[in-house]
Each structure stands twice: as C-alpha cells, then as structure tokens.
Amino acid sequence: MTNKRVLFLVSLWCINCALGQAKEGYDLWLGYSKIQDSSISEEYLEIAQYVYVQEGTAVLDTAGEELKNGFEKLLGRPQDFATILTNSNTLIVSKRENLALNLSDRFTADFDEIGREGYILKSIQSNGNSVLILSANEDIGILYGVFRLLHLMQTGQKLSSINLVDAPKIDLRMLNHWDNLDRTVERGYAGFSIWNWQKLPEYIDPRYIDYARANASIGINAVSLTNVNANALVLTPMYLKKVTTLANVFRSYGIKVFFTARFSAPVEIGGLDTADPLDVNVQEWWNSKAKEIYGEIPDFGGFLVKANSEGQPGPQNYDRTHAEGANMLAKAVKPFNGTVIWRAFVYSEHDSDDRAKQAYAEFVPLDGKFLENVVVQTKNGPIDFQPREPLHPLFGAMPNTSQMIEFQITQEYLGFSTHLVFLPKLFEEVLDSETYRKEKGSTVAEVVDGTFKSKRITGMAGVANIGTDLNWTGHPFAQANWYGFGKLAWNPYLSSETIAEEWLRATYTNNPKFVEPIREMMLNSREAVVNYMNPLGLHHIFDTGHHYGPGPWVSELSRPAWNPTYYHNADVNGIGFDRTASGSNAIAQYSRTLEKIFGNLETCPKEYLLWFHHLPWDYKLKNGETLWNEMALKYQEGVDQVESMITTWKSIKPYLKRTQYEEVAMLLTIQLKEAKWWRDACLLYFQTFSKKELPLGVDKPSNSLDYFKSLKFPFAPGTRPRWN
Ligand code: BDP
C-alpha cells in the first residue's frame, strides 16, 4: 500500500471515529435500539396489535409521541395507533376517567393508591383478547407509565403477565442547576450551561426538549435553573421572558421551573435601600415580583435560596432569622401555590465552631417556625458532598418542618467528569442510614419521604451534572448518576444494583456478558474513590478553590474552615477531627443512639473513624493493622481497584462499538493516573507526621512531596472564584 493510501485510510478511519463519537451518548438511556431477539419483539407485536392512546392535552400528546417513537425504534417499524378501541389484542393507554367502567372499577383500589403521578400497567384478558392497560388518574401518570413500558420493552421484559402499580414516594424530584447567566456552570464539568440565555426566548434549542424527555423518563418533575450563588438579574423582566419559554417547554413533560432568588434583589434591582424581610416595602416588592412571575408562569415552582452562607446575602444581614427570611418569600408565593426551598447549607467563615455543627445549631431552634410552603433543603452530610460523610444530623431533628435532601450529582469532590464513580451507591448509603430518632421508621429515606413524620412537602434535589457536552455529562457513566438520582427520588428504597443494571441495559446492551461485570464494576467504583481520596473518614483534603486533586497541606487560607489542615488535624501524635465530647462534640447533635455509636471507638464504623476521632498513628484497628498502615493500604487499595476496573473494561471490549469502548478506556487511564497522584501525594504528606515507612504492598511514590505541592491548576473547570 502506498503511503498516500495509508494516510487516506487512516484519515477516513479518524473521520468515522469522530462522527461516531460525535453522536455517542446523546440519546442517554433513551436510545431504544431495535430489539434483536425476534421472540421478544413478536410477543410485543402480538400484545399490541392495536394501540389506543388517549390524546388531547399537552402531556397526553407527549406521551403518545413518546410511545410512537419508542415502538418504532424498538420494533423497527411504525405501529398503527388507533383512535377507537378495536376488538383484538390491544394496548390501551388511557386515563382512569376515560376507561370503560368495567375496567376502571376493576382497579379502584390501585387508582386510589397511585395518587396524582402514579400509574398502573396490567395485562388482562377481555372477550378472548389480551389487553394491556396503561392507566393513571392524571395525564402525568400516563407519561411516566409510557416511559416505564418502553423501558420494560427496551430491557426485554415479558409483558403478557405484567401487573404493575407504581407511584413516586417523594413529591418534589428536582434537579438544581448551578448555572450562571453567562453560561458558566459552578462545579460543572460537562461544558457550558445548556440554557442559552442570549438566544432565549425566541430560540428554542431542541436540547431543551431532549432534556425534558430525559428528566420525565426518570420521574424528575422540577428544575431550578440557576446557581444558588444567585444573580438577581434572573428576576428582571428580560430574563423572566426567557424563563417563561423554558417553563412552557417543560410543562408538557410535567416539569415545573424554579430559580434561585438573591436575597438582596430588592436593593440590587428594586431600587430599595434595604432587603430586610420585616420591612413592608421589601415585602411588597417580593409580593409584586411574585405576582409578575406567576402572571407569566402560572405553575412556577418557586424560589430556591442560599442565604447567609459563603458570603451570600440573607436575613441575618438585618438581624433576622432564616425563618423570617424564608417566610417573607413564602408569603409572596403562597397565593399562587408556590414553594420556597431554603437551604440549610449554612456556615459562617466568621464562626470558629466546627463547621459540621453550624447548620444544626442554626436551624433546630427554628423548627416549627417556617410557614407551610417552606421546605428546608439539607445536604446529605454535615460538611459538603464529600466522597463519604456520615448522615447530616438535621435529618429527623426538625419534625415540624418540611425537609428535603440535597445530593450532588456533579462530581465536585469525586473526580469531576473524569472518574467513573457510580453515585447511587453513595445516595443509597445515606438514604439507608438510621437516624435512630424513633425506634422504627427513621432512616434518612423515611425522614425524607414523610414516613417518619408526615410532611406537607417532601423532596429530593440533586445538583445537576449536565452541560453542553455532546453526551450531556462529560463522562458517559456520569449519565448513570443523573439516571440513578431520578430513580431514587421516585423511590428512595430502590437498590443501587437494580439501578446500575437498568441503566446499563437501557444505555448499552442487554448482553449479560457485558452487563454483569460492568454492573459489579460500577457498584465498587464508589468505594474505590473513597479509598484513593479520603479513606477512613478523612474529608475535605482537596486542593483549594477548584477542588481538583489532593491538597492536604493547604493551611494558609485566612479562615480555618477553608483549610484542609483544619479537617485532618495531622500532627506527630496522630490524625483526625475529634468530634467527640473531648473535641467539638458534634456527635451530640445526633440521636442518643448514634451519639453513642459514633462516639465509642468500639462501635464507630471504620469508614467514619477519622471523621469523629483524632487517633495516634499506631492506634490498633480491629483487623490488627496500625492506623498508619491501614491508611496507606487503603490508598493502595483504591489504586488497585481502578486497575481492576481497567481490566474489567478491557474484557467487555467485544460487546461495544469501538468508540464507546475507547472513550471509557481513555478516561479510566486518567482516573488511574489521578488515583496514584492522590495516593502518593497524601501518603507523602502524612508521612511527614507519622514518620513511618510505607507498609508492604504499597507502591513507592512516583515523585516527591515538593513536586506534588508545586502542581497548580489555575484553569481547572467549574471553579468558583471567591470561595474554597
Ligand atoms: C460547595 C461548592 C460551592 C457551592 C456550595 C453550596 O464548593 O461552589 O456554592 O457548595 O452548596 O460544595 O452552596
């Protein structure tokens, strides 16, 4: 072959590659590739000889279109949709009120159970025909049911004997975008914001529709569009028009729009000289702002507010409480059924008390003081979305307040969009955690879904990992975190294993030779990242500002709580944050049972050891290792786990397209490099205190501590300029 020809072929291959890659991942879990197993598609065709879909409202029409599109792709040919019921095998997609009486009466109990958003999917026999019924009380239930049906088909499930009744356990299932109006995304690692503010309201990017579809398919019913470090401009008429357009797009998918309200907006854009929540002019300003918004968006969800934390303005600027601030906004949106989501992620850099204690100290005294349409949104752990944290002590500690949980789907502290980390494993661990606020029924999931104490509003929010990247989330496996978040918000008792399996099958293939090993790899990936970043309860030892990579040595920032050294407290005597009675006594914020468990070295889970205790380097763990050795071995284990992820990924190469395979293979290479970086940098640094050799089995560091300290990343993505 001539050189020219080789060159030509190579470039052709590259172009093909690029084209393949360009599209890879955009469809998320909704690719609906044609069912290969003909016995399965024949079953589906047999069941749905006719399809009757109720039409007539925006949401029902969306459901019909989704069904058509899904059927066509999965079955490989367009399906006839009948407008009248026929006497043959039929799929009936119809609301309860539109079903024949004999059918709707048959399922009365189910209909009573599924509420506004649930659905039933049942296969029955009627006049010698088999009828598959998808029904719901409301339009949105039909849409959710359609997505479920398509998912079942996509994953090859039998429908002939299906008997399914499903409804969400949580009311507000919400994404929080930390998107700025200039389209940068705070802690975003997947490109720019998908909200094209400049071209809105006239230009409706088709992405908005695809985004809404994806969300509806996993039950997400609310989105907050803007960064919690808010810009008041979103409240101005120009931006409200843009928001209105988005709300109009999302409405057909059952999604409500919220945005963040900057507490000082009355001053910044309203011309007032105060934002004091007890000032009548301020109250009136917000009342009329709410009226203006609801005039444009009658189903506007409400405001999400970060106040008096990390420099954001809030009621405390005027010596008012969080409740007074939240209630003022709540009164403004109340006439329109709006909700105020008030964040409990509150700490002051001027407060020298343990940062882990500040939210509880601030909010518990306010229990019962918030108006009915206020929900307090609490992060899963008391510090800040670390690879592992114990549950936040606020869960179950505010029985008279609606309280929702906030997870972070974007991987600020878990390897950005480079590391493969399956977060539902983390979410599940938190949701399953016992608060012990009652004898039974007080896990975090039970607090969040209102089992613990019934609440006016229940909710779960996830900080979105979505951006303009072609595959939406940067890392293709980060899509699983968006997917899994939605699934758990719908049902917080689902297992991460089920979620991983569902996602893999919908996204890649049903082939068990692929699904089984990769499911295991996903399930282990979260523990791997904990091991190579923050083992044994270490936390917040990230490099400052951007949080990219290790920075346990950072100590020079002006406030103690901004410095990693504050969190690990390493010295020649040992390491860890003493949060027992001899230290900050943060354990006293938990129930008595948890206080005892965490406070006692005999019972404190190894995973939280250094979160709650400061221990000598040669402290003996239950497995016989010294603390120093165990820490070093854990760092090594994390690296080994990434090595074995790579081996697993190599083994499934035959089941994927080359581009799909290569993309993850390349990312795993970076993940391994960074896992080693974490191990080496942290161990070298902690070794300056422990003064001990690395135990057998731990690789020698590849570089010096000075080298690791010298690394600087001024352009790390997602950075927030002023805060660490
Ligand atoms: C931290 C982020 C910061 C956010 C803050 C928050 O580093 O960018 O503004 O949380 O949740 O995780 O308000």
Side-chain angles (χ1 to χ4, degrees), residues 20-33 66 69 73 147 154 207 210-211 213-215 217 469-472 476 479 482-483 503 506-508 657 660:
Q21 202 138 23
K23 284 182 287 162
E24 215 69 84
Y26 184 82
D27 289 339
L28 298 159
W29 46 87
L30 300 172
Y32 301 131
S33 35
E66 281 299 329
N69 166 58
K73 288 193 168 146
F147 278 118
Q154 194 183 20
R207 265 212 166 196
D210 292 334
Y211 164 85
R213 286 183 68 215
N215 277 334
S217 77
D469 275 10
L470 285 160
N471 70 2
W472 301 86
Q479 295 179 358
W482 176 8
Y483 179 89
W503 177 79
T507 306
Y508 285 101
K657 285 191 250 166
Q660 286 178 318

Side-chain angles (χ1 to χ4, degrees), residues 563-590:
N563 290 309
T565 48
Y566 166 90
Y567 296 98
H568 64 66
N569 274 296
D571 57 22
V572 286
N573 300 317
I575 182 167
F577 199 125
D578 183 2
R579 294 196 162 100
T580 68
S582 57
S584 79
N585 206 21
I587 55 167
Q589 293 184 337
Y590 290 97

Side-chain angles (χ1 to χ4, degrees), residues 26 183 194 196 200 203-210:
Y26 184 82
R183 294 192 78 176
I194 58 173
N196 192 335
L200 280 164
Y203 182 74
I204 300 177
D205 189 328
R207 265 212 166 196
Y208 304 149
I209 297 161
D210 292 334

Side-chain angles (χ1 to χ4, degrees), residues 178 186-187 227-229 306 309-310 343 345 355 379 384-385 406 408 412-413 463 545 547 718 720 723-724:
W178 285 358
E186 182 155 333
R187 312 312 179 183
N227 192 352
V228 286
N229 299 315
K306 170 176 178 178
S309 182
E310 299 185 329
R343 296 179 83 227
F345 178 71
R355 171 169 159 189
K379 287 190 182 180
D384 192 8
F385 299 139
E406 176 177 341
Q408 194 181 44
E412 174 180 357
Y413 298 100
V463 180
H547 299 154
R720 175 168 171 230
W723 297 89
N724 69 322

